[in-house]
Amino acid sequence: MSSGEEIAGAIIEVMPNAMYRVELLDGRRVICHVASEMRMHVVKILPGDRVTVVLSPYDVTRGRIIHRDK
């Protein structure tokens, strides 16, 4: 169950500790971690991949990657 705004973006940088810098469609850049379901299924995410991100309602510079588009 997602709580927050879902928005599409693209991975621009892979950071340590399974964190990613994502550029959203509106030009904002946020730092995201991978949702536990994606981590459980070992989904590989590389720079340039299109993803769906749920933004945190408390801090709009942070988010969670919930889906990698094909």
Side-chain angles (χ1 to χ4, degrees):
M1 185 167 192
S2 302
S3 60
E5 177 186 2
E6 288 187 14
I7 191 163
I11 303 292
I12 56 173
E13 181 183 355
V14 178
M15 300 167 58
N17 297 328
M19 301 290 279
Y20 299 89
R21 190 172 312 275
V22 178
E23 184 168 3
L24 305 177
L25 290 180
D26 59 3
R28 290 184 289 172
R29 291 185 175 192
V30 296
I31 296 175
C32 299
H33 66 274
V34 180
S36 60
E37 186 173 312
M38 288 183 63
R39 193 174 291 186
M40 184 174 66
H41 293 293
V42 191
V43 175
K44 299 287 185 188
I45 301 175
L46 300 172
D49 286 351
R50 309 295 290 171
V51 293
T52 303
V53 174
V54 174
L55 296 179
S56 168
Y58 304 107
D59 184 2
V60 294
T61 64
R62 300 277 179 170
R64 184 174 71 241
I65 299 171
I66 60 168
H67 187 261
R68 183 183 65 112
D69 300 332
K70 294 188 178 200

